[in-house]
Amino acid sequence: MTNATTNATEKALGLTPQEFAHLGDGALAYVKAINSEDVARLFPKAPALRPGVKLFALLGADGSPIMLTDSRDAAIANAWEHELQTVSLH
């Protein structure tokens, strides 16, 4: 972010970039469709997977990985189980 963008964001939202990054911590999560080739980047300790597999990652509001599954419904159920509200990203 440029300083101008950062300053505009702070003025518009009344939040610093650091405060904005922590919005929803522990309360919000999102489900992201990923390919097996991207798993190592988000889940470094995950075992190697066959290329070309479509998976779903449940990520915290700040993008931190929570779980990996082959079902979108399972990711959402896990969020509910941990009292996380899922949100859509467009």
Side-chain angles (χ1 to χ4, degrees), residues 45-80:
K45 294 183 181 181
L49 298 171
R50 178 174 41 93
V53 177
K54 183 177 179 181
L55 300 165
F56 297 88
L58 179 64
L59 305 168
D62 64 352
S64 60
I66 297 172
M67 75 162 299
L68 182 66
T69 181
D70 63 351
S71 160
R72 185 178 188 282
D73 290 340
I76 292 171
N78 187 274
W80 289 342

Side-chain angles (χ1 to χ4, degrees), residues 1-12 15-18:
M1 278 185 151
T2 66
N3 284 342
T5 303
T6 300
N7 291 338
T9 301
E10 287 181 36
K11 286 179 185 175
L15 300 171
T16 67
Q18 294 79 14

